[in-house]
Amino acid sequence: MQSSSKRTYYLIPYLAWMLLFVIAPIILVVYFSLFDLHGNFSFVNYQNFFTSVYLKLTLSSFWYALLITGFTLLIAYPTAYWLTKTKHKHLWLLLIIIPSWINLLLKTYAFIGIFGVFGPINAFLGMFGIDQQQILYTDFSFIFVSVYIFIPFMILPIFNSLDKMNPTLIDASRDLGASTWTTFTKVIFPLTINGVKSGIQAVFIPSLSLFMITRLIAGNKVITLGTAIEQQFLVTQNWGMGSTIAVFLILFMVIIMMLTGQKDKGVLLNGQNK
Amino acid sequence: MDRTSKFSKVYLALVFIILYAPIFYLIFYSFNSGGTMSSFESFTWEHYAAVFSDTRLIMILINTIIIALLSALLSTVIGVIGAIGIMYLSTRKSRSTLLSLNNVLVVSPDVIIGASFLILFTMVGVKLGFASVLISHIAFSVPIVVIMVLPKLQEMSSTLIDAALDLGASKRDILTRVIIPYIKPGIFAGFFLALTYSLDDFAVTFFVTGNGFTTLSVEIYSMARAGITLTINALSGLIFIVTLLLVLGYYFVTNRPKNPLRSGGPK
């Protein structure tokens, strides 16, 4: 009895942190979403959210996030796969991770120069007689920069799951006459699906809420849910509407987490295979 | 087989080039005496000199470092206590509840964290500035420390504690002389991650920073919105070196226990 009260006493700072910064903020966001601009209780923000403006915004935000996640996965999977085949793979992995530790803003800022009208990409295109293009402030530049930023976050979980995979399974599949492609689709990919899922989680949710890349690279042309929240909170000062969008973003987040949730099934299966 | 391996090498090389090119592009033009990121005129240190002579920028840099160190330190303390607390909770259910609540801030988008903390600080009456930025950095670093420390605690055999109890150790002894030394690598990893999270954070800080106080990320954002200034390039050169040192430091600290010479030493 004495020891259990001692243990709860230990937990106080941590529980206080949790109450103040995890539970209270969520409650506050939901609470604020129920007030209109003049501080009256109403569902007007929710009504607004279901108008064409916000529905379109949500859809386009999802579309961009989908594109970003898709391209990131397409680039990251082969990279992770071939990384596991190299000598000193952990050193190479570290080298892949280092760019993700460089400040996000700086990497984004670099692309303002790279994609600029007089930048290297336009100079390169100019060598083939292609006229100067406006690359900055387009959908392409936004997606490219986002994919660039998210690649390491997708590679890491996929690399880990590939690394954990038992290599004899691939030999077995080859011995049984499977082609390289069949081995990949029937053996390797299903066994690394958990890594892919955590990668998708790590990319899709942030890409719904990006706002500084849209501001710097897409020049307010692309509006994501994140941009809308920032706009409502810091520019329009309409915290109610901002909170409403935040509530929906939280809901989407929960849904995505459930869809990509890990059931530890793969691990169990691996154990059984042995 | 040989062709695919050649192709894989080219592919990996391409990914590496694309990942590093923008960073080296930035650093390359930080030595450009012309004011743009497109035509290199001649070599100069003037942009680095500009960084070091700009007292406002230096102040911001110091603020950023103070915030990072303080938040990493305090979140490590809270996180370690939290992880030990979670580990020794009696029921499995309360453990998993706490853990999922713990992970809320890890997966939440920065915008949500920033916006909800802004509401929180305004409601409670914390003045936006140094305090609000520090508190929010501590808040989002705590769960990361917990995540880094928990696996170490789980891997620790409970017989170690039983042995210490049998030998007459007090609860305090067990904590400071058995548990903490054992989970030290996890604590270091958590501290370093908290440090980098704090240094890297832009979105949360942007929401809760108010008018008078700025960190480096927010300052870079407002500079970049105004257009290209090679001072940012010089800054990125400096930040790249510091980041490399941090990564290497982290790498050595977390890999040190594997060194047989070192683990024999403290006895």
Side-chain angles (χ1 to χ4, degrees):
Chain A
M1 202 59 212
Q2 223 256 323
S3 73
S4 86
S5 68
K6 188 96 177 182
R7 270 163 205 164
T8 6
Y9 164 77
Y10 257 100
L11 266 174
I12 283 173
Y14 181 68
L15 288 179
W17 163 80
M18 197 170 263
L19 207 67
L20 261 175
F21 297 105
V22 180
I23 298 166
I26 296 175
I27 294 172
L28 280 175
V29 165
V30 176
Y31 178 76
F32 265 77
S33 73
L34 296 171
F35 288 90
D36 66 9
L37 251 180
H38 312 289
N40 303 316
F41 180 87
S42 76
F43 288 101
V44 69
N45 294 322
Y46 286 89
Q47 273 168 12
N48 277 340
F49 190 84
F50 286 105
T51 57
S52 65
V53 181
Y54 284 100
L55 285 182
K56 245 194 205 156
L57 177 127
T58 312
L59 272 181
S60 85
S61 187
F62 262 89
W63 175 239
Y64 282 116
L66 207 66
L67 284 177
I68 293 167
T69 316
F71 283 121
T72 313
L73 181 63
L74 220 57
I75 296 167
Y77 201 101
T79 313
Y81 180 74
W82 282 319
L83 268 181
T84 56
K85 301 260 178 262
T86 55
K87 278 187 214 166
H88 313 295
K89 52 186 170 184
H90 288 284
L91 181 72
W92 288 112
L93 184 69
L94 184 73
L95 286 175
I96 288 265
I97 301 304
I98 286 176
S100 74
W101 286 34
I102 306 285
N103 197 306
L104 200 73
L105 271 303
L106 291 176
K107 285 182 289 189
T108 311
Y109 166 77
F111 281 99
I112 299 178
I114 292 171
F115 284 153
V117 178
F118 302 104
I121 299 291
N122 263 318
F124 181 74
L125 290 177
M127 289 196 306
F128 299 101
I130 300 170
D131 291 337
Q132 275 175 0
Q133 302 278 324
Q134 177 62 268
I135 309 172
L136 216 56
Y137 314 128
T138 59
D139 288 356
F140 166 78
S141 62
F142 170 64
I143 291 170
F144 188 95
V145 175
S146 311
V147 170
Y148 169 81
I149 284 176
F150 286 128
I151 281 177
F153 298 100
M154 184 71 99
I155 290 179
L156 195 62
I158 297 178
F159 177 92
N160 285 336
S161 59
L162 278 166
D163 205 30
K164 261 189 258 164
M165 194 175 62
N166 188 345
T168 54
L169 289 174
I170 297 166
D171 297 337
S173 152
R174 292 255 165 78
D175 286 349
L176 292 167
S179 67
T180 316
W181 180 245
T182 317
T183 308
F184 177 74
T185 53
K186 300 269 180 191
V187 181
I188 301 175
F189 192 75
L191 281 176
T192 53
I193 193 76
N194 274 340
V196 174
K197 278 179 176 176
S198 8
I200 290 175
Q201 223 178 66
V203 174
F204 195 86
I205 298 170
S207 25
L208 277 179
S209 57
L210 284 173
F211 76 91
M212 92 341 141
I213 298 179
T214 58
R215 290 260 192 267
L216 290 177
I217 295 290
N220 294 343
K221 265 191 184 168
V222 177
I223 297 177
T224 61
L225 289 171
T227 330
I229 294 174
E230 189 252 357
Q231 178 94 17
Q232 297 290 350
F233 267 94
L234 300 178
V235 185
T236 328
Q237 297 281 335
N238 185 353
W239 287 17
M241 194 60 222
S243 298
T244 309
I245 307 171
V247 167
F248 279 99
L249 187 49
I250 294 173
L251 279 181
F252 296 142
M253 187 184 91
V254 172
I255 293 170
I256 294 159
M257 301 272 299
M258 285 189 328
L259 286 178
T260 55
Q262 325 257 316
K263 292 179 198 87
D264 285 331
K265 221 163 136 197
V267 182
L268 267 177
L269 276 177
N270 278 342
Q272 279 166 6
N273 283 342
K274 280 174 200 163
Chain B
M1 195 59 212
D2 196 37
R3 265 190 63 190
T4 50
S5 88
K6 211 171 240 168
F7 178 74
S8 73
K9 269 180 196 147
V10 173
Y11 186 88
L12 283 183
L14 216 66
V15 171
F16 270 99
I17 289 171
I18 291 176
L19 279 180
Y20 278 91
I23 296 160
F24 287 117
Y25 172 81
L26 273 185
I27 297 173
F28 177 71
Y29 279 104
S30 70
F31 299 109
N32 181 16
S33 67
T36 65
M37 271 207 279
S38 50
S39 54
F40 195 88
E41 281 174 19
S42 63
F43 183 88
T44 176
W45 286 105
E46 68 178 81
H47 303 298
Y48 287 89
V51 170
F52 287 108
S53 63
D54 188 341
T55 42
R56 201 181 93 86
L57 205 57
I58 296 291
M59 276 310 291
I60 292 171
L61 205 65
I62 293 172
N63 282 338
T64 311
I65 294 169
I66 291 175
I67 292 268
L69 283 175
L70 274 180
S71 69
L73 204 69
L74 290 169
S75 60
T76 305
V77 172
I78 301 175
V80 168
I81 296 172
I84 294 174
I86 289 180
M87 191 61 201
Y88 295 109
L89 274 177
S90 43
T91 60
R92 201 196 161 98
K93 206 181 158 197
S94 53
R95 232 177 297 164
S96 66
T97 314
L98 272 192
L99 253 186
S100 26
L101 278 175
N102 183 68
N103 290 354
V104 167
L105 282 189
V106 182
V107 290
S108 291
D110 294 346
V111 186
I112 303 253
I113 301 179
S116 60
F117 282 8
L118 176 65
I119 299 178
L120 181 75
F121 290 135
T122 321
M123 293 287 282
V124 176
V126 176
K127 201 168 156 279
L128 296 185
F130 179 83
S132 62
V133 173
L134 178 64
I135 294 170
S136 37
H137 281 210
I138 296 171
F140 69 63
S141 301
V142 167
I144 301 147
V145 177
V146 172
I147 289 173
M148 298 310 281
V149 173
L150 258 188
K152 279 276 153 205
L153 277 169
Q154 276 159 348
E155 122 194 341
M156 189 172 85
S157 161
S158 61
T159 50
L160 278 177
I161 294 174
D162 294 338
L165 280 173
D166 286 349
L167 293 167
S170 68
K171 283 218 145 106
R172 198 196 158 85
D173 286 336
I174 292 176
L175 183 69
T176 56
R177 303 177 72 169
V178 181
I179 297 178
I180 301 273
Y182 193 90
I183 61 173
K184 221 180 197 170
I187 297 176
F188 269 118
F191 177 81
F192 266 101
L193 266 188
L195 204 65
T196 50
Y197 265 64
S198 168
L199 288 174
D200 243 15
D201 177 69
F202 161 71
V204 177
T205 315
F206 189 66
F207 270 91
V208 298
T209 193
N211 276 329
F213 186 80
T214 332
T215 64
L216 200 57
S217 292
V218 177
E219 178 66 12
I220 292 171
Y221 178 73
S222 46
M223 280 164 96
R225 283 209 86 177
I228 288 168
T229 348
L230 293 190
T231 318
I232 305 181
N233 293 53
L235 263 178
S236 61
L238 297 170
I239 290 173
F240 182 68
I241 292 167
V242 173
T243 308
L244 266 187
L245 289 178
L246 268 179
V247 174
L248 288 176
Y250 171 76
Y251 193 70
F252 281 118
V253 166
T254 50
N255 282 308
R256 210 169 48 176
K258 284 178 193 149
N259 186 341
L261 279 175
R262 185 69 180 76
S263 61
K267 286 173 201 163

